[in-house]
Amino acid sequence: MNIEVVLKILYALIILNIVFAAVVYALKIKRLRRARLERRFEVKMKDYFTYILVNIEGKEPLQAPPFSLNKVEQEVMQERLNDMIENFTGTPREKCIELCKHLGLVQYHLDRLKKGSYAVKIDAAYHLGCMRVQEAVPALLQLLKTHKLNSSLFVIARSIAKCARNEQDVKEMVQLLLRHNKGFYDLLVDIVKEADIDHGALFAEFIQRESHACIQIGLSGLRDYTEPTVASAVYRLLDSPDRTIQYKAVEIYLKSVHFIPRNVVQKLLQHPMDEVRVLTIQAIADQKLVTYIDVMKNALLDKSKRVSAATAKGLLLLGEEGIATLCEVTADVKGSEQGEYLQMLIVEELNFLSLQLHDLDKLTRYNSLTYYYEKMLGKNKRIYRVV
């Protein structure tokens, strides 16, 4: 009986292997056949694609190929046009989209979106997004509304952004995604930027809402903006009770504002987060705000070594007055742990600058730092300035 069971299992495994091999072989043959058809189509369409590239900037609409396309050829044509639409802007993109309509590709995928299986609908949504088909937005929003949380959710969302008729479509798409409450804010920002709308205005609107998620999206979207209007928009969030929001708001504010008011500087340098104090010091140094050297003088003795180091580096960038202040404070606390730390930073900077003396700016800084370091800390071993 045991032998019979073993033989049956063996026969079953052999049959399964044969079936598996047949399926793999069939798929390979199908793939090779499709690749061969695609190569033939590329040769066949070479002159037509040249015609498109030559006439893409012209006033006349693009004409359809002078022959009918089978299913494989239509799919290859679709991919080529998708690539062109993604790479072109303005009139060339509009002409490619019109050609898609003329070839029946738009209507074909609209029908698939309405009547196809799940996989067919996702594929149709992708192609409709590539072709910027605004008529597809209502159906895409409905599909997004009922879709479960998986990777295909973002395919639909990106298609909606590309096809969006106005800001309202984008807002509705964002709200539908936020229902999943998964915190993918940076991905949402990337998707929103696909829409042909004023992104900055939309992100600025988001940060005015009470929703924590909308504020996070707005701040992530405004991260690369440097206009003063952005600084005004995020100012109220500097006092947000949420530390993540507060830090992002400070980062955007300091990067966007052209001059930091003294009351804001003093407020931020008293912030409990080290990162915020470091950002403030770096912003003062980057903007060369020499008038705030007195404020930075106090920051040198900050309990956080990160803040002290950032302040020391910042003072070195504020000219002779900043360098003199750094050496003066270091001399005042000489012998303490803080004084030893600041002195170590100065020595490290001197060693670094001594290797960069071919640069006039660094040479000037080296001479100033050498002079004040020797003068205020009274080193026995004389350090000579370089002429």
Side-chain angles (χ1 to χ4, degrees):
M1 291 300 293
N2 291 336
I3 294 175
E4 288 180 7
V5 171
V6 171
L7 287 174
K8 287 179 180 179
I9 294 174
L10 184 60
Y11 293 148
L13 289 174
I14 292 171
I15 292 171
L16 286 174
N17 282 330
I18 292 172
V19 171
F20 179 74
V23 170
V24 171
Y25 188 66
L27 289 174
K28 187 173 182 180
I29 291 175
K30 183 179 179 181
R31 194 177 297 113
L32 290 172
R33 180 174 177 274
R34 182 183 176 87
R36 186 167 60 252
L37 291 173
E38 288 178 359
R39 285 196 298 271
R40 288 179 182 174
F41 181 68
E42 290 288 345
V43 174
K44 178 181 177 181
M45 295 293 288
K46 184 177 179 181
D47 291 339
Y48 179 71
F49 287 132
T50 302
Y51 154 77
I52 290 178
L53 295 175
V54 169
N55 294 276
I56 198 72
E57 299 282 356
K59 296 181 180 180
E60 296 297 322
L62 297 172
Q63 300 298 316
F67 43 79
S68 59
L69 305 176
N70 60 37
K71 185 178 179 180
V72 174
E73 291 174 341
Q74 181 177 303
E75 290 175 359
V76 176
M77 187 72 175
Q78 175 80 76
E79 293 299 330
R80 290 295 296 272
L81 288 173
N82 286 350
D83 291 341
M84 290 181 183
I85 293 170
E86 293 295 332
N87 292 322
F88 292 147
T89 57
T91 301
R93 173 181 284 182
E94 294 299 324
K95 291 180 75 170
C96 288
I97 293 172
E98 285 301 318
L99 179 58
C100 288
K101 293 179 181 177
H102 188 52
L103 292 172
L105 297 174
V106 170
Q107 190 58 51
Y108 170 67
H109 289 296
L110 283 172
D111 292 340
R112 296 176 77 219
L113 182 64
K114 293 176 183 177
K115 301 176 184 177
S117 64
Y118 171 75
V120 168
K121 285 182 178 181
I122 298 300
D123 184 68
Y126 166 75
H127 289 297
L128 289 167
C130 289
M131 294 186 292
R132 274 66 175 176
V133 182
Q134 295 184 346
E135 307 95 288
V137 172
L140 289 170
L141 284 170
Q142 185 59 36
L143 181 59
L144 186 68
K145 190 179 297 184
T146 57
H147 200 279
K148 61 183 179 180
L149 180 61
N150 59 32
S151 58
S152 297
L153 186 76
F154 302 107
V155 174
I156 303 167
R158 197 175 292 274
S159 292
I160 292 171
K162 290 180 177 180
C163 299
R165 299 161 294 185
N166 48 47
E167 282 188 6
Q168 187 56 41
D169 289 337
V170 179
K171 291 177 187 176
E172 189 171 347
M173 177 268 292
V174 170
Q175 290 301 325
L176 289 173
L177 287 179
L178 288 179
R179 292 191 311 174
H180 297 281
N181 196 29
K182 291 298 181 180
F184 27 70
Y185 305 126
D186 289 335
L187 177 57
L188 273 173
V189 168
D190 184 58
I191 291 173
V192 168
K193 287 181 178 179
E194 295 279 7
D196 188 16
I197 58 173
D198 185 346
H199 307 122
L202 182 59
F203 293 136
E205 181 185 330
F206 278 155
I207 66 172
Q208 300 304 320
R209 298 186 181 182
E210 296 302 320
S211 166
H212 178 279
C214 286
I215 292 174
Q216 288 276 23
I217 294 169
L219 290 173
S220 295
L222 292 173
R223 193 164 44 201
D224 297 326
Y225 287 76
T226 56
E227 294 82 3
T229 52
V230 174
S232 301
V234 302
Y235 180 76
R236 75 177 185 89
L237 297 175
L238 298 184
D239 296 319
S240 171
D242 185 289
R243 291 221 168 174
T244 303
I245 289 177
Q246 198 176 54
Y247 178 77
K248 287 183 178 180
V250 169
E251 187 179 28
I252 294 169
Y253 176 84
L254 292 175
K255 188 164 55 175
S256 306
V257 71
H258 286 176
F259 179 81
I260 314 171
R262 180 172 284 270
N263 65 311
V264 176
V265 169
Q266 292 174 336
K267 173 183 175 181
L268 294 179
L269 286 180
Q270 294 172 3
H271 197 280
M273 291 174 63
D274 295 357
E275 295 84 354
V276 170
R277 302 201 296 278
V278 169
L279 280 177
T280 307
I281 293 296
Q282 290 173 342
I284 293 172
D286 291 342
Q287 295 184 29
K288 300 290 190 292
L289 301 178
V290 181
T291 54
Y292 291 151
I293 285 179
D294 60 325
V295 179
M296 295 179 74
K297 184 176 180 179
N298 296 328
L300 269 176
L301 303 177
D302 193 279
K303 59 183 179 181
S304 167
K305 287 190 175 181
R306 288 180 58 198
V307 178
S308 293
T311 307
K313 290 179 181 178
L315 286 169
L316 289 168
L317 298 175
L318 295 182
E320 191 165 350
E321 188 178 350
I323 291 172
T325 300
L326 172 60
C327 293
E328 178 188 341
V329 173
T330 304
D332 290 342
V333 294
K334 184 180 179 181
S336 67
E337 182 183 353
Q338 190 77 10
E340 293 297 324
Y341 181 66
L342 292 176
Q343 191 168 336
M344 180 195 72
L345 293 176
I346 293 174
V347 172
E348 285 180 354
E349 183 69 12
L350 283 170
N351 291 335
F352 169 74
L353 291 174
S354 66
L355 302 175
Q356 307 289 327
L357 299 179
H358 55 280
D359 183 289
L360 182 59
D361 180 60
K362 290 184 174 63
L363 171 61
T364 304
R365 199 186 313 161
Y366 175 80
N367 282 335
S368 295
L369 185 57
T370 301
Y371 172 73
Y372 285 105
Y373 180 63
E374 180 184 304
K375 177 183 176 182
M376 295 183 179
L377 282 108
K379 304 301 291 181
N380 294 326
K381 183 179 179 181
R382 186 171 183 82
I383 303 176
Y384 290 95
R385 287 186 286 170
V386 178
V387 179

